[in-house]
Amino acid sequence: MDIMDGGRFTAIEPIHKGWSGDKKYRVTEKDGTISLLRISPQSRYEARKSLFAMLKLVAEMGIPMCLPLEFGTCKDGAYSIQSWIDGEDLEPILSRLPKTEQYALGVKSGKVLRKMHTIPAPEKQENWAALFNRKTDTKIRKYKECGLRFNGDTYALDYIEQNRYLLENRPRCFQHGDYHVGNMMLENGELKIIDFDRYDFGDPWEEFNCIVWSAAASSVFASGQLHGYFDGEPPTEFFKLLAFYIAGNTLSSVYWAIPFGQSEIDTMVKQSQDVLGWYDDMKTPVPAWYQNCST
């Protein structure tokens, strides 16, 4: 019997947010329990099975998140059921919260991330420097071929070339893969982490490459995240390497946006200018939003 047609749910409401391509629903069981149902194409069965297993491992650590409850197949592909978070998306409401609360939530998010990073990467991983240098070469090539350029791109390109050595001897661990305020919620005042679709294993400091979105929403939150993760001030080496990762992401975000239209292109080009402003054209590794943050 198919999961959607068997009378199991008394209510099925489609959800139209997100980039994954999965079909998502808010479903209500006969006993009144509300859950999140996700259905992926059959071709993604193995990937979704691996994701579900990883979610169980992360949830067992006490990470505040949608709890993985059930996985299986249905006529439309592979499905998973997760607990429902009855809260609000954090990004649109963050700036309306008192700065002390923004900071506290940032600290919490940093501590949660540090806990997730205790999950080790599988053995026999490719050398990180070799792997990421190859990824960086691809980003640079695709950026130069895409036909779009942003003002000041040579500053990012030069910083990358001058700092590749920072990739040497970096550790590997579990990564959420897209860790920023857009993938966080607030439920009864408590922070919740969502959307582990892009989980991976890599340098724990690379995980902060999405902090540009958090900093744009609240510099106080972003600074708190670093303080929570490092239990105080981050080391200088962290800022230097993070600037390297963000410079590469700034290049790749431009060509990534092209298939999604002018609005996304404009967003990413604006972000490139924000990044160059924060880093004073890549002359300082500590971003201005962190330096200027007051709590």
Side-chain angles (χ1 to χ4, degrees):
M1 187 175 294
D2 188 72
I3 192 166
M4 298 284 281
D5 304 327
R8 172 174 173 174
F9 305 121
T10 59
I12 301 174
E13 304 168 45
I15 299 171
H16 300 293
K17 295 190 300 183
W19 298 82
S20 69
D22 289 354
K23 296 177 181 178
K24 292 180 284 188
Y25 306 89
R26 182 182 187 269
V27 295
T28 304
E29 303 266 5
K30 291 180 179 179
D31 64 0
T33 300
I34 298 173
S35 303
L36 171 65
L37 170 66
R38 299 186 60 155
I39 300 178
S40 306
Q42 186 63 37
S43 61
R44 304 191 70 188
Y45 173 82
E46 290 299 333
R48 287 313 190 200
K49 182 179 179 182
S50 296
L51 172 61
F52 190 80
M54 184 55 65
L55 289 176
K56 291 181 68 174
L57 177 60
V58 176
E60 287 170 0
M61 301 182 69
I63 299 301
M65 58 186 286
C66 292
L67 301 179
L69 304 174
E70 184 179 329
F71 179 81
T73 58
C74 61
K75 68 178 183 181
D76 293 321
Y79 77 86
S80 66
I81 296 177
Q82 302 173 26
S83 63
W84 182 259
I85 296 176
D86 189 18
E88 298 178 273
D89 293 338
L90 180 59
E91 186 171 17
I93 66 171
L94 186 58
S95 63
R96 303 200 298 267
L97 301 175
K99 283 194 173 184
T100 52
E101 189 171 350
Q102 294 179 39
Y103 180 77
L105 288 168
V107 170
K108 174 66 175 179
S109 73
K111 290 181 177 179
V112 168
L113 186 59
R114 183 173 64 190
K115 194 172 190 178
M116 285 196 288
H117 284 175
T118 63
I119 300 175
E123 295 181 3
K124 297 183 179 178
Q125 295 281 303
E126 182 181 359
N127 175 272
W128 178 250
L131 172 64
F132 208 84
N133 270 310
R134 191 168 64 249
K135 286 185 176 181
T136 300
D137 291 340
T138 299
K139 289 179 179 181
I140 292 171
R141 176 180 57 78
K142 287 186 175 182
Y143 172 73
K144 289 182 176 180
E145 291 175 349
C146 79
L148 288 177
R149 304 295 289 263
F150 60 83
N151 291 334
D153 60 357
T154 55
Y155 296 120
L157 290 164
D158 289 347
Y159 187 86
I160 289 171
E161 294 308 326
Q162 293 163 9
N163 291 277
R164 287 178 184 259
Y165 72 94
L166 295 171
L167 296 171
E168 297 293 341
N169 302 314
R170 292 298 305 155
R172 302 281 286 271
C173 69
F174 169 81
Q175 295 176 323
H176 172 277
D178 202 16
Y179 200 76
H180 59 85
V181 289
N183 286 324
M184 299 178 190
M185 297 182 70
L186 204 59
E187 182 181 45
N188 299 322
E190 294 296 319
L191 185 73
K192 303 290 183 178
I193 312 302
I194 63 172
D195 197 356
F196 287 74
D197 284 19
R198 299 181 182 179
Y199 87 89
D200 203 350
F201 298 95
D203 177 2
W205 290 0
E206 190 222 354
E207 186 85 271
F208 289 92
N209 63 6
C210 292
I211 203 170
V212 293
W213 299 109
S214 299
S218 168
S219 60
V220 177
F221 175 92
S223 296
Q225 185 176 98
L226 297 185
H227 295 159
Y229 186 86
F230 288 99
D231 197 24
E233 292 290 320
T236 301
E237 293 77 12
F238 165 78
F239 282 117
K240 290 180 179 179
L241 185 50
L242 179 60
F244 176 92
Y245 289 134
I246 288 176
N249 267 21
T250 302
L251 297 176
S252 62
S253 66
V254 173
Y255 62 76
W256 171 88
I258 292 174
F260 300 102
Q262 192 61 46
S263 177
E264 287 298 329
I265 293 172
D266 292 344
T267 296
M268 295 309 181
V269 170
K270 180 185 180 299
Q271 186 185 83
S272 73
Q273 301 309 292
D274 290 341
V275 167
L276 291 176
W278 289 336
Y279 287 102
D280 189 19
D281 291 337
M282 306 311 295
K283 290 194 288 286
T284 174
V286 181
W289 58 257
Y290 183 80
Q291 293 173 316
N292 298 335
C293 177
S294 61
T295 59

